[in-house]
Amino acid sequence: MGILRRDTNKTETYRVLTDCLTYILRGTGLALALGGAVSLLPSTEAKAQTVYVVVQDGLAIGGYDPVSFHVAHEPMKGHEDHALMWKGAVWLFHSAQNQSRFEANPRAFAPRFGGHCAYGLARGKVFEGDPDTWEIVDGQLYLFRTPRGRSLWLEDQNQMIEAALAEWPDALHQD
């Protein structure tokens, strides 16, 4: 089961960065030197916006390439040699070209609602989205927990999008 990353302070941001860099550098021998590298990070604290991204096995959207949803016939898994950290999560890409496209405009390719199920949010519930169950509407990628949720969402997608937007991100804080 994935975890919810919430970056709200410098210590947490550095911890997430360390986790992400360790993941990327694993197996290269450089991960051992990572502890000292963190002290080289800038000491000025940027005003970070609170971020909510579903992370599965340490990766955003389960390791799928977010650009591939938009440009390929089906989503493709990313590769560790094409990785970057954005919004507190590691994003993998199928190719260097897809990584460059994402870097140029990540909001154009990242899933709406941080990868949470769009149908669930429209109903005031929070579930992880499944990268195998998705839809693109007006250039935005939406993930769903189940094919049934996707079907129900498609019946009135405009109303569902409005309802999910009204819940986001406050639904994440409800018990």
Side-chain angles (χ1 to χ4, degrees), residues 127-138:
F127 304 109
E128 289 182 16
D130 179 352
D132 291 321
T133 309
W134 57 279
E135 189 70 32
I136 294 181
V137 176
D138 296 328

Side-chain angles (χ1 to χ4, degrees), residues 18-166:
T18 302
D19 291 349
C20 292
L21 289 174
T22 301
Y23 176 83
I24 292 168
L25 299 174
R26 186 179 345 148
T28 66
L30 296 173
L32 297 175
L34 191 56
V38 173
S39 64
L40 301 175
L41 293 172
S43 62
T44 57
E45 184 173 349
K47 275 250 190 209
Q49 178 181 18
T50 300
V51 183
Y52 305 97
V53 176
V54 173
V55 178
Q56 301 164 344
D57 299 323
L59 303 170
I61 61 174
Y64 279 84
D65 175 346
V67 177
S68 70
F69 288 87
H70 297 267
V71 300
H73 292 101
E74 61 184 31
M76 298 180 286
K77 283 286 202 171
H79 302 287
E80 290 183 11
D81 53 340
H82 303 295
L84 65 84
M85 189 176 98
W86 181 72
K87 297 289 187 180
V90 175
W91 299 77
L92 299 183
F93 302 90
H94 184 74
S95 66
Q97 179 183 16
N98 282 4
Q99 181 176 346
S100 293
R101 291 171 110 171
F102 186 87
E103 287 175 317
N105 189 2
R107 293 183 192 284
F109 299 105
R112 194 75 173 102
F113 310 122
H116 292 87
C117 175
Y119 177 74
L121 282 170
R123 296 292 178 228
K125 308 253 187 238
V126 179
F127 304 109
E128 289 182 16
D130 179 352
D132 291 321
T133 309
W134 57 279
E135 189 70 32
I136 294 181
V137 176
D138 296 328
Q140 288 285 303
L141 172 62
Y142 296 90
L143 300 182
F144 304 91
R145 181 178 179 197
T146 64
R148 171 92 172 121
R150 179 182 171 271
S151 295
L152 292 169
W153 186 84
L154 286 171
E155 289 177 9
D156 192 4
Q157 70 186 23
N158 291 333
Q159 188 276 330
M160 290 287 177
I161 290 170
E162 287 180 29
L165 285 170

